[in-house]
Amino acid sequence: QVQLVESGGGSVQAGGSLRLSCADSSYFVSTYCMAWFRQGPGKEREGVAGFESDGAERYADSVKGRFSISRDSAKNTLYLLMNSLKPEDTAMYYCAADTSPGCLSRGWTFGQDKYNYWGRGTQVTVSS
């Protein structure tokens, strides 16, 4: 059973940094088949960072150049390093996993229907 647990959220001033972690203690899914989403106040949930079918990193335009996704396959953990944070980054950040066969090549990286497991989220608040 896949269990995703996010951590690392908190409050930070604009320009600061945070590092989020998403651990799957079940070791059931490849970290290439995991991604980060977020949902800000009054907004729909959107993809933030993930991996394309060729393994290349993919980022939302709003975070490109500031956020960096990484993985530790040995620990089955996904990370999101967030630099130069802005108030607009304030949101609940979710880790998602796709356990389907050939998950890396299936669907769109930021397509929410691709993922069948979701973490409970970790709050990130950026003040001005």
Side-chain angles (χ1 to χ4, degrees):
Q1 181 69 35
V2 174
Q3 293 182 320
L4 305 177
V5 180
E6 303 100 330
S7 62
S11 298
V12 65
Q13 288 188 317
S17 299
L18 286 173
R19 187 190 188 217
L20 306 184
S21 299
C22 175
D24 171 29
S25 60
S26 73
Y27 287 80
F28 191 78
V29 60
S30 168
T31 50
Y32 276 121
C33 299
M34 299 168 64
W36 289 100
F37 290 77
R38 70 182 181 186
Q39 186 169 20
K43 299 180 179 180
E44 295 186 0
R45 188 162 55 188
E46 62 176 349
V48 177
F51 299 99
E52 300 283 27
S53 59
D54 62 356
E57 301 167 14
R58 183 180 181 87
Y59 300 95
D61 289 341
S62 59
V63 307
K64 193 172 298 183
R66 299 187 297 118
F67 290 11
S68 178
I69 190 171
S70 61
R71 48 188 289 277
D72 187 335
S73 58
K75 297 180 179 180
N76 230 51
T77 300
L78 189 72
Y79 302 97
L80 184 68
L81 177 61
M82 304 183 294
N83 293 320
S84 302
L85 283 163
K86 304 175 181 180
E88 307 92 87
D89 296 318
T90 295
M92 183 72 75
Y93 284 72
Y94 298 91
C95 176
D98 177 8
T99 62
S100 301
C103 55
L104 189 60
S105 300
R106 191 183 73 90
W108 180 48
T109 303
F110 291 157
Q112 296 185 56
D113 291 344
K114 170 182 174 65
Y115 303 95
N116 55 330
Y117 284 92
W118 294 81
R120 297 162 71 178
T122 184
Q123 179 67 40
V124 172
T125 302
V126 184
S127 62
S128 59

